[in-house]
Amino acid sequence: MRVLQIIPSLAPSHGGPTFVAMNLSKALADRGHQVHLLTTDRAGMPDVGWLDNVDVRISKEVFAPYSYSPDLSKNLQELVPQADLVHIHGLYLYPTVQAARIARRHDVPYIIRPAGALDPYHLGRKVLKKAIFDYFVHNDVLRNATAFHFTTGIEKDISLPRIFGNESIVVPNGLDVRKIELLAKPGQFRSRLGGAAAKRLVLFLGRINYKKGFEILIPAFAEAMRNVPDLHLVIAGNDDGHLPAVRALIETHGLVDHVTLPGFLGTNEKFEALADADAFVLPSYSENFANALFEALACGTPSIISNKVNSWPEIAAAGAAVVIDTKIEDLSAALTTILLDPSRRSSLASRAKDFARSNYDWANIAAMLETSYRAILDRLQSQQPPPTS
């Protein structure tokens, strides 16, 4: 099968979608498919040397706000007519819109992975700007999609009003379990924390973004410190525009000496931090899949997540993490219980590892997606109507 993957950027600072596009491309190529991965140099050039069996083409971005790239358009004009299927990662930027338009022009089916962009929480921000763009551009892209790729059942359900009755598939993101086993070495991250190395570590890992729930996390951590005084909070990730607000919260709650902000962590540092953390926290107001969470689970890091993380029902059913409402008191109580109960932490760690590693290895995810690809192409060939979502 000839598959063309499109994403506006592969920069690590852009978080989970870039991680997914690269790993998914490689996993599909490992299964014998011919895979091209097209992107721009938006926010920097990634390391793609490990994608040795994928044709990766990185085009120059010439207009940053919308990732406009004539070179990428040329690559699309060349490769789309040769593809059996186009898989678009993300929405609202030039590469994704252009890929959809060219695919439609050449009658090549295209699948959209919105990566949470159709969540009402996100659609409720910049409403006027999005409404104008949708009316003139985006509705056409969505309406003519062959199918939508969601990573959780919740994401699918909340996105239904925006997919114009088109087919939808649910295939989760995956994990490189072998890499995690090699890199999750305890002791390395702590050794770089100075006086905080001996304390119990609470870790947030991800973009410092408005949706991540810092207005819950920081006050809850301050409350938990009253019961567990030997605590230290690590907020690791690149600033996505919310860092000044986070710093202000830290100062307001008197936590300047109890919080470390190391910035973006590379792959090795990330897994070392997860291996050393006593608890991982993700109290987001909205979260599509949360790759960092599944990496934490695979490392066996006891985790606390909000019930706004779309993967929470499966995680809760497996007993792999503690699920809370987006309330300060709920997070504070969960932190206190986990940090003071070694047997609870041990149980969570064991269940988390089993759950993540048994269900989310990239090889299994690629096989699931391949099955969905073939079903879509078979349906189109037989001219069957799409199944109702």
Side-chain angles (χ1 to χ4, degrees):
M1 197 183 309
R2 294 163 298 181
V3 182
L4 183 57
Q5 306 276 341
I6 314 293
I7 189 167
S9 169
L10 289 178
S13 60
H14 283 167
T18 65
F19 163 87
V20 173
M22 289 190 288
N23 281 276
L24 189 57
S25 294
K26 178 164 178 55
L28 287 167
D30 287 344
R31 293 182 62 81
H33 301 289
Q34 182 181 338
V35 181
H36 301 274
L37 176 58
L38 269 57
T39 189
T40 73
D41 60 356
R42 182 182 180 88
M45 300 285 284
D47 172 20
V48 295
W50 56 282
L51 297 172
D52 52 347
N53 55 355
V54 177
D55 175 27
V56 182
R57 301 192 187 185
I58 303 174
S59 302
K60 182 174 179 57
E61 178 189 62
V62 299
F63 185 57
Y66 297 102
S67 229
Y68 176 69
S69 171
D71 287 343
L72 181 132
S73 186
K74 290 178 184 177
N75 283 323
L76 287 169
Q77 295 282 6
E78 174 194 346
L79 294 173
V80 167
Q82 305 170 24
D84 294 308
L85 186 142
V86 174
H87 198 153
I88 297 170
H89 301 260
L91 291 171
Y92 288 107
L93 290 174
Y94 174 82
T96 57
V97 171
Q98 187 71 346
R101 284 176 167 172
I102 294 174
R104 187 182 178 200
R105 189 180 308 149
H106 292 280
D107 201 25
V108 176
Y110 67 90
I111 297 174
I112 295 175
R113 183 172 74 91
L118 299 181
D119 185 326
Y121 180 83
H122 293 288
L123 294 175
R125 296 178 65 86
K126 302 179 181 177
V127 176
L128 179 59
K129 183 178 180 180
K130 287 181 178 177
I132 294 171
F133 190 78
D134 284 345
Y135 182 80
F136 287 104
V137 178
H138 225 231
N139 286 342
D140 188 59
V141 171
L142 301 176
R143 185 182 292 109
N144 291 289
T146 307
F148 288 81
H149 168 196
F150 300 113
T151 50
T152 67
I154 288 180
E155 185 198 8
K156 171 187 168 181
D157 292 343
I158 62 179
S159 302
L160 286 179
R162 294 290 293 132
I163 69 171
F164 293 92
N166 289 319
E167 182 177 354
S168 59
I169 60 174
V170 178
V171 178
N173 296 340
L175 298 164
D176 188 338
V177 172
R178 191 176 306 169
K179 179 185 286 188
I180 291 172
E181 290 173 345
L182 289 172
L183 298 181
K185 299 174 182 176
Q188 301 294 318
F189 186 76
R190 281 184 181 273
S191 69
R192 299 190 287 272
L193 289 179
K199 295 186 176 182
R200 305 181 207 224
L201 296 183
V202 176
L203 174 67
F204 168 89
L205 180 64
R207 291 176 298 134
I208 301 179
N209 180 275
Y210 65 88
K211 73 172 186 175
K212 299 293 185 177
F214 293 106
E215 295 76 14
I216 299 167
L217 170 58
I218 292 168
F221 178 82
E223 282 190 13
M225 280 194 69
R226 298 191 184 105
N227 299 310
V228 193
D230 62 331
L231 283 186
H232 194 78
L233 175 61
V234 176
I235 298 175
N238 63 296
D239 180 21
D240 202 18
H242 202 58
L243 184 58
V246 170
R247 290 190 184 278
L249 281 167
I250 291 169
E251 291 182 9
T252 297
H253 290 276
L255 296 173
V256 173
D257 295 330
H258 304 284
V259 180
T260 296
L261 294 160
F264 177 78
L265 298 182
T267 301
N268 289 22
E269 291 178 304
K270 172 177 65 175
F271 288 113
E272 289 166 359
L274 288 169
D276 276 344
D278 294 284
F280 170 87
V281 287
L282 187 64
S284 295
Y285 302 117
S286 171
E287 199 76 45
N288 181 38
F289 185 81
N291 290 301
L293 164 62
F294 280 81
E295 290 170 339
L297 298 177
C299 288
T301 311
S303 300
I304 304 169
I305 65 173
S306 77
N307 56 8
K308 302 301 181 183
V309 176
N310 287 343
S311 49
W312 78 263
E314 298 87 351
I315 292 171
V322 175
V323 181
I324 61 166
D325 287 330
T326 48
K327 296 178 181 177
I328 293 170
E329 58 270 26
D330 286 15
L331 179 53
S332 175
L335 273 172
T336 301
T337 299
I338 286 177
L339 293 169
L340 292 180
D341 188 344
S343 64
R344 178 73 169 130
R345 288 201 305 277
S346 177
S347 174
L348 280 172
S350 177
R351 290 178 181 178
K353 275 188 176 182
D354 290 344
F355 170 72
R357 298 183 182 201
S358 299
N359 297 291
Y360 295 94
D361 187 86
W362 271 117
N364 298 331
I365 301 305
M368 292 173 62
L369 191 60
E370 177 187 314
T371 299
S372 294
Y373 282 171
R374 292 197 185 281
I376 289 168
L377 293 175
D378 288 346
R379 173 178 64 76
L380 291 173
Q381 190 172 21
S382 64
Q383 296 299 309
Q384 293 294 318
T388 55
S389 297

